[in-house]
Structure formats: C-alpha cells, structure tokens
Amino acid sequence: MHRVFKRSTAGVVALLGALMMVTLLTGCKFQPGWGYNKGYAPEQPIPFDHSLHVGNHNIQCQYCHNQVERSKHSNIPALSTCMNCHLQVATDKPNIQKLREAYDNGGSVEWVRVHMLPDFVHFNHSAHIAKGVNCQTCHGEVEKMQKVEQVSDLSMGWCVSCHREPENKAPLNCSTCHY
Amino acid sequence: MSEMHHDHELEMKKALRPNVERDNKYWLSLEQWKNDPEFMKMAETEFQSSPLKEGDGEDGWARREFLKLMGASLAMATAGCIRRPVQKIVPYNKQPEEVTLGQANYYSSAYFDGSDPIGMLVKTREGRPIKIEPIENNPFSISGLNIRSQASLMALYDPERLQGPKRSLFNEKKTNAQVIDVKWEELDKKVVDQLKKGDVALLTGSIASLATRALVSDFAQAFKAKHYVWEPLANEELREGQKASYGDDVVPTFHFDKAKMIVSVDADFLGTWIAPTAFTNQFVAGRKDIKNMNRMVSFDSNYSLTGANADIRFRIKPSQQLSVVMGLLHEIIVKQGRSSYAGNASIKEVLAPYADVATQFAMDPALFSKVAVDLWENRGQSLVVAGGLQTLTKTAQELQVAVNFLNSVLDNDGKTIDAKGALPMHGSYKELTQLIQSMAAGKIQTLIIHGVNPAYSLPEEMGFKDAIKKVKMVIYTGDRVDETGTHADFIVPDNHALESWNDMELSNGVVAICQPAIRPMYDTRSFQLSLMNWAYMAGQGPSRLRDYETFYDYLRVFWRSEVHPKFGKGQDFESFWQQTLQKGYAGSASKGSASRSFRLGAFTAIKPAPAQEGYELVLYPTAQLGDGKLANVAWLHELPDPVTKIVWDNYAMVSLATAEKHQIRASSVIELKVGDKKMELPVHIQPGLHDDVIALQVGFGREKAGKVGNGIGKNAFALATVSDSGVQFSGQIVSFTKLKKKYELACTQGHHSMEGRNIVVESTLKDYNKGQNGVTRAHVWSIWSGHEYSGHKWGMAVDLHSCTGCSSCVVACQSENNIPVVGKKYALMGREMHWLRIDRYYTGDPANAEAVFQPMLCQHCDNAPCETVCPVLATVHSDEGLNEMVYNRCVGTRYCANNCPYKVRRFNWFNFAKLIEKPMHMALNPSVGVRTRGVMEKCTFCVQRIQEAKTTVRNENRAMKDGDVKTACQTACPAGGIIFGDLNDPNSKVAQIFKTEERGYALLEEWHAKPSIRYLSKVRNNDKESTGGQDKGHGTAKQGEHS
C-alpha cells in the first residue's frame, strides 16, 4: 500500500493538532465570549439612529417593531412605517431622500442583521414580551445607541441563566428552543 | 498533476463559488491573514472538496498541498468561531395587512383530481403555501385529508413546471417534439384565428367547479364547440348502471354511516373509489360504537385497502364479480324466498344458474349464505357497492345493474344510496371514443385539452396518438410538456390550483370556494381566463364570458346569479360570500332521497357470463398515485403502498400458491402477455390474492412527468383492452413467463409477522361482547423512579379499530416536519426517513390472510431506552413527557436507534436538505428545523405545534384546553383514529381514554418502557370466537393465544 505520510511528518501533524486542540480548549475555557457576536455593530446602509428616535423623540419600540407582541419575530418595519413621519419630517436629509427614493420605487433597504441565532434555535419574542421582559433586558439600552450593537452574547448559557431563575418560572426543556 | 494546472482549477472553482458576503470590519483579528496571498489561495479551496482526490498521493505535490491545507483549515477553525456570514433583512415596502411574520395564515379551499372531492385549508407562511390542513365539519368530506391533496402542494413547487407559454416546432407530419417560448399575444392571436374557423372540441377531465362548467359551456356556445369529458378513472360504469336501472345519469353518493351491513364487490371505497376520504369518515363512524358496529364484507380481486379492512374478506377473480352478486340475490330471493320478487318466475330463471356460486368459487357456503342473511336482516340499513377499474370487465354493466337490483331488493335505495347527492364525476370513455373517431375523420380542427393526459393513460388501440395528428391545432393547458403536451401545437400553462380562484361542488348540495394562496409563481394563466380571453378577442359568446377581465369576476357574478339564490338562505350576497370563505363551504350534504323504482328489464336481460379459465388481469389504481397525474411528486413514490408497503415501483402481484407453482420468487421478473401486448414486470407475492389473479397498479410508468416520475414502474394503462362494449381493465386472460432476470423491489416492511408478540391486538365482536378484547396486561417491577410531570403530560391514543391504513397521516407528517425523501436506493437499505409509518401485519392462513394496520411513531416512553444510551445527552426527557431530540447536540452515534424497541428513529445518512431543488425549499415548514447529515431524528409529537399553542394560550391569558394542540397526523386522519392531548388534564379526551378505555394497551408493555401512546385494540365483526391464527391453521401470528 502507498504510504501517504512519512512517519516523521505524521508526528509533526499530530503534535500540531494536539497543540491546536489545547489552544482551543483553553481558549473556550477562559474566554467564554469567543464564538459569540457580542459587540457586533455593523454599518447599516442608512445610519438609522435609535438614540434619536427612541431617546430624544420617545417613540415606543412597538411603534416600528409592531408585530413583536404577536409574533415570534420582531419585525423590521416596512418602509411605509418610516414614511408615516418621513413624508414630512427631515425630507432634506440625503439619507431620508435615499429612503424616500427606495419607497417610491417600490424597493426596500437591505439592513444588516445584528442579532442572529442559529437555525436550530427557536426564540419567540411574543412569549417574552407577554411575560413582561423588557426589550432592554436582552437588547441593552437601545435608546442610547446611535448604531445598534449586540449587547448580550445570545449564547445558550446566557439564555439558560435567566430561565433558571426560579422567579421566572421559565421552562428548561431542550425542546423549549430546539426543534 | 502540475502546479499550473492546479492553479487553473482553483480559478475555475473560484468562479463557480457562490459569492458570500462577509462583513470585513469584523475580521479585525484576522487582518494579518487577509493580505497574505498564500493564505487567500488556500482559503479558496477550503471546504470546496476533499483536499485529497482520487489518484492523489501518487505524486509528492498532493501530499504537500494536503499538509498546507490541513494547517490552514486548523488555523481557520480556531479563529473561525467568530466568523459569521452577514445576513440581510429586507423589509416590506408597504406592510401587507394580513402578514405577521412567523404566523401562519389559512385559506379555505377544496381539492378534486377526478375523484375524492374534499374541503381543505391551505396553510401559508409569509405568503407561501406550506401545508394542507383539513376543514373540520365539512358536510361532505367531514374531516381529514387524502394523500394527494397534501402532495399537490409539491406540484406547486415542482421545478419542472412550465414557466411560460410554449409552442411546438412541428414539421408536416408532427413527428418532432421540440417546443420553444412564445409570447402570449402571438399565442392568443393564432389560437383565436384558428378557433374562428370552427370545428372546435374541448376535452377535459371531470370538472367539479360549477363556475368552470358554466364557463366551458359558455365557451362551447361561443365557438359552437363540443365539450367531451373523460377521466382515466371515469366511474362511467356507475352512471351507466344507474341509467339502466333507474333512468338517472348520476354517480350517486353513499351513506356508509347509515349501513349496518356493507358488501363491497371490488369497490375500494376506503382507498381509491369515488370519494374515499368521505367514505372513510362514514365507514368509521358506523364502527365507533363497537357493540353496534357495522359489518363489512369484501369480495376482493386484488388486495385492496377495503379488503384489508373487511371483517370478512373473500378472494375472487374479476370474472366472478357478477356471479357473486347474482349468487347473493339467489340466496335472498330464491333460497330464502324473501322480498316481493320471490314469486317472480323470470327473476328466478335469471338467477337459476347461480345456485351454487359459493361452492363453485371455493368459498364457505355457510359463510356466503350468512352474508345474504345479514343483508336481508339489515335491509334498508345495508349497502352493496361495486365499481372501479377492477370491475371494468366484459360484464361491468351487468354487474352494476345486478348491484342496483340487490340494493333495491334490500330497500337500500334512497337510504344508503342517494342519487340526490350526486358526485361531480362526469367522465366517460364513450365520449372520448366519439371524440377520437371525429378527430381521426378530420372533423375537428381545433382541440383544447385540459386536465387530462390521454396520450399517457389510453391504450394504443384507442388510436389517440394517430387521431391527434389529424387535428389542425391542438392546445394543451397542462403544467408541463408531458405525454399529451408533446402532441400539442400550443402549450398554454395553467395556474396551479393554489394560484387561482375557483369553486367546487363537492357533492350535489355542498359547494366551496377555492381561494388562491399564492400569486402565480410564473408567467402562467388559468385555463378559465384563457377561454375568456379567446372569447373576448374573437368577440363571440355570451356577454358574461367576454365582459370580465378576470375569472374571479366571472366567478363572483356566477355565484351571485346561480349559487347565492340556492344556498344563500336569505343572506345578502356579500355576507354569504364572506361566510362561505370563512367556513370553507356552503350548503349541506344530502341526507337521503326517495326510493326509486327499479327497471326490471335491465336485470332480466343479464345473461350468465361464461366461466373463464386461466389467469386474469386486474388493473387497479393506488391511493398514492391514483391515475398518475402527480407522478412527479416524490412524496407519493416514497410513500409506502398502504397494503404492500412497496415504494418507487409498480409490480405484478401473484398469490403464494401461483408463485410456488411457477417457481417465482420475490425478486423474479415475469413477462405478462395480454392478447398480443407484452410487459415485463417484477413480481410481488401477495398473501390473500386469488390464485388466478395477476394484479397490477396503474399510474406508474410516466415517460414525460419529469425527473422524479419518469420511468418509475411500467404504464399499466397500456394493458387495457378495447372492445365494442368499452374499455376493459380487468378480467382479461393473461399469461406469463418467468424471465431469467432479477429486479429488487424496495419494501419498507420486510417483516410481516408479529412473531407471536402482542403488537397489534385484535379481537372479534363476539369475544369483545364477552369482555375479552385481546389485551394482556403485563405488570413489571421497575428499577426506575419515574418522572414527575407537574405541568402538562402529553400523550396520544391511536385507535386501531378506526385506522384503515390510508396513510394520509404519513404524508401530513412529512409535510409538517420537513421530512426528506431518500429514493429507492436508500429505501432498499432501510434508510427511509418517515417519522410516522404504518405497519401492516398479516394474520391467518396466507391464502386468506387478514391484514391489520398500526401507525407507528415515537412512543415518547417515560422510561425511554434511547435516552439512557445517548453519550452526549442529545435525546432527553422533558418535564412534559416528551422524548426530546436535540439535533444540534447529536453527534450521530446511532446508539439510540439501536436501543429503540419500536424502530422509530431515523438517521440522516446524507445532507438531504441540500438536495432540495429550488423552489421546493419554499414548501419547508419554517417552524421546524431542517436536519443535516449525521443527525438522528424522530417524531417530536409536533413539538412546534405544542410551543405555538402554549404561546397563543399565554398571549390570550387563558389556560390550555383540550384540542388546542393537534398533531399533524391527527388533523389529517379521516378516521379520527389519532387523539392527542394532555394526560394531566382530566377532562381531555386522551386522558379519559388512558383511564377508562378497556381496549387500550401500551406497546410491548412487558418491557416497561412506559410509552405515552396507547393503542386501542381492533375489533373484527366476523362471528368468530377468536381472531387470526388458530382456527385457520397456519397462522404466522398467534393472536388467538392472548384472547
């Protein structure tokens, strides 16, 4: 049989692999933030300023994210929602003109998703809102954010830490989220 | 391999690679890598294919490259944790009012494909239809779904559907079959020019839509066209029989629920005949009260679903059908001297040759005469039915007349047979024959074909393929260039039924509106709108045909003027329309009619058929494929045949004795010879089949259905024979020779015996009345401490007494849970993925085997054997009694599947989800994860539905009530055989069954896995003391021991 590796090469590979493994494991142990998107704050096509809308103008979260109480998803508002105000307000700003243009052309805006969960996790916004969880509990002080940033790491440990609190009476079954 | 060559290959791969956008800002830690060209080159190849190819390792280069790649991918892996693809969210321009992301919308509709009209709901998510659900309490179809209505969803997303109109590039002789795109304007103009020349004919299938029927007749009036209706499974024999017997040209409806004694002569009313979903509802309704349950006797020439569910099943061959009915008449009228006809000499004379039918046919004479006695004693509450392809023999008409006479003698007409509630089957082979004759004579210039595929489903000697060449212009409104499409000059792609408005008459008196659930996906146009457009352009026809821009307008006007006055009950039209949409139907089912007088002349004209020697052919449709219209839907091929459990093929069935006689084995291939037609087929040895019968399924062997359906099995329609009396599908003499070939059939149930264990428990009514229901209790001491269920505890009851094995639940589960299709090759290896299967066991002597069905799914055991062996805790127990499967934890050891006593766990050997071709991915249920390779999966008790119900209940601030959660299999079941609910809720139906139902038993109770499913034992109403095995001698299963 053809030998693919020389014995010495194989040894080096094994050593390298072991080293990587050790690095990985210690990394995961002492740097629990690794692998999560905490602090992720991508540039958006239009720099929508939550601190201005929510902080200064006191617009309710649910004014735009209006389906959050009845859906598992919190919707990104349709352009028509923006236009409720921006047909009149700040129409001279280039970004609003960009928005207006997209609206008039029947187009949309490609926002960059900030909070992402893997496909095997089913999170339900409406269930949490109904229990009285504030938006800020998970999303941080959005009313102070000029650019939205992921505040929590959205890891399973983070989810479960809250579900485990006895006063929350939250289910801890795997199938609460994974199905 | 040279380095340069390799570089070139890399470039090629790079070009082919999908451009995944990544957020560069986020790569901060990897910035140093970014500009390193060496690394970039290596990164390009990462994951694209295996670093080592076949033949690599021959030279030193590959080895070096492999090491480099290894290093690189390891480095990538460490840093790779934080590498995420950028996802974009594109919100709506204007928020559609009805769409809430993540919430399903339901649209009422109805389904009919030539048989089995049913009401249904279309479940849509974010504008995509993803599942078909039943409409509860529909007056005709009552509840549940059939297989094909659910699978029709996949026809919507069939990647091979036509995406725009086509025209053929025919030469003079119409021998070539190329098609090219054509513009609608050009098509319409050419068609209208041709239509104006006259001699127009329309060929359609049975049209259940009232408005479409009106529109077609408007169109026919506009162009002086003749409308021909034909279906491969036409039910013409019933209408002819009704006409001869009573003068009514109708397919009557039947009330199986009112019948205490049912005799079916080859009418597969639980599987394929006329309206099986409604009939299953009715039939089971007449059995739920066990002490007063009905009795069903089947004279069966193939092993049909009806035969499998019969209390008493006689195996016959097609040439005996008429004699059986005449024999029953002889028993009642002559032998027992019952009924007002007892003194009628001419009737006695007609019946005289049938005095010893039972003995002649090797049936038990006492049993046979008991059938006649039961019929007579339940007169007015009994029902005899015959029909379907299996009865289309030389004596098909006589059989119908005899059956009608028997029903009239028994005073059933108007009670269990109801001509008032006529069903919308209008197809006729006679009409088609006339059309083909006109076509061949060159009398037809333009032919519009809609909804049928005659080039596939007609035997050659009908002459369709030659005749169609004589037609100047053929317009075909199919959704693909199929067997008939290749003969058409223009292919005018029709919308899928879920893309357009329509209405439907389920039976006379019950109507429904079909709403579109999605905008037409492609450049297609509904058949109705095409006709309207052509009439408008030609300026011909009644004004309502020309005046409206869409078929929706026509439909509304039609309903306003024709339907509303009949069904509106004084309501104004708008609210009637809205209410019909909301409820999903209007009207009520016919409850019976006056009894009609029988025309004796039709009966006395019956001549005894000469006895036939030799093997007889039986052609029959299957519940999954029907006439083969949906042959390109993989779900239907993957669904095990309800009786034989074979997938992805059709086959010739022979009895065990015949197989032994000719040394035929399970993988043998035989050549059938019917007249001068030959066909090679693999053999399946079927218990309970008559020794002189060779049975064979139609609907397979499509040539132009598409990638999935092409070449699956053989086209058995070709074996039908044409004579003066019509097209004959069964009873032809067939001979066969064994070939020196082998062909393996994929059967999903290799083991048909229960090996004497208490798996399916059944008893006879006699035993049941004595308090023996066959259930044995096992009391086992447990080492487990048990679980505590303080909230909900989910459980299910499966009533084997109700289950007919129709397999509707299997398709529902597949649709709900994104279950992949694996194909024949892997089905042969036992890798099928269905979470819910229906096991079918035979009991008794193989020659007269009885069948029992058992839906088998994850039992959600309290002491689950799978949970204890999982090394990574990927399958764990929830505090609601669910056996959870956590896909993201599963590493694929398959220990759990090995340790499951019920064999319900399924392993993803491949990344099946990746094979889903666009746009079929649109049918995936977004509430259920799609599993990847190396992951175990199984029934979850539809946990997504449980979660959804919990959220709904919480948001509505109320407690969960029974019926809030219904599993997919439960809703699809037309027999109401599956009941799901909370065992901790004492008022729930399932909790009461667990507590009080005597027939309930846990599967393999003695193993003490403590399943959350109780099966309720089956009761057979056959006058015997114990079921199965012993009294019949060679039982493979020893059911009798337990009772």
Side-chain angles (χ1 to χ4, degrees), chain B residues 484-667:
Chain B
T484 304
T486 48
H487 295 279
D489 299 82
F490 286 103
I491 295 128
V492 187
D494 192 4
N495 287 349
H496 187 271
L498 296 178
E499 294 174 333
S500 34
W501 283 95
N502 209 347
D503 65 348
M504 197 168 291
E505 182 190 36
L506 299 176
S507 72
N508 191 12
V510 184
V511 286
I513 303 170
C514 308
Q515 300 179 75
I518 186 171
R519 186 183 287 200
M521 292 172 68
Y522 309 115
D523 188 15
T524 57
R525 192 170 74 186
S526 77
F527 163 69
Q528 293 92 336
L529 188 60
S530 289
L531 296 190
M532 287 167 71
N533 274 6
W534 296 335
Y536 168 76
M537 287 172 75
Q540 293 179 15
S543 69
R544 69 172 178 184
L545 183 64
R546 287 178 289 132
D547 285 356
Y548 303 107
E549 226 169 283
T550 64
F551 178 60
Y552 170 69
D553 298 320
Y554 185 97
L555 183 74
R556 293 255 310 178
V557 167
F558 177 82
W559 269 58
R560 196 188 291 272
S561 62
E562 317 257 330
V563 183
H564 176 237
K566 274 187 231 164
F567 291 87
K569 289 183 190 153
Q571 245 177 338
D572 68 290
F573 176 71
E574 239 3 272
S575 37
F576 167 67
W577 177 267
Q578 291 301 336
Q579 198 193 341
T580 309
L581 286 178
Q582 183 68 34
K583 274 200 328 196
Y585 59 85
S588 54
S590 168
K591 294 271 179 272
S593 54
S595 130
R596 299 166 291 175
S597 68
F598 185 83
R599 297 176 176 179
L600 263 188
F603 181 72
T604 44
I606 295 177
K607 303 264 178 316
Q612 241 174 215
E613 289 299 318
Y615 293 105
E616 290 180 20
L617 182 70
V618 174
L619 298 183
Y620 71 97
T622 56
Q624 64 273 29
L625 272 181
D627 61 10
K629 263 188 206 118
L630 292 178
N632 207 37
V633 176
W635 286 359
L636 296 176
H637 292 290
E638 183 92 349
L639 180 76
D641 182 278
V643 176
T644 64
K645 300 291 159 197
I646 292 172
V647 295
W648 292 98
D649 259 309
N650 70 341
Y651 36 84
M653 303 205 296
V654 298
S655 78
L656 190 57
T658 308
E660 274 168 3
K661 196 165 130 196
H662 295 269
Q663 278 138 24
I664 292 172
R665 282 195 199 89
S667 52

Side-chain angles (χ1 to χ4, degrees), chain B residues 464-475:
Chain B
F464 179 82
K465 284 182 194 162
D466 294 328
I468 200 167
K469 290 188 179 145
K470 304 250 171 75
V471 180
K472 279 250 169 63
M473 186 187 284
V474 179
I475 300 149

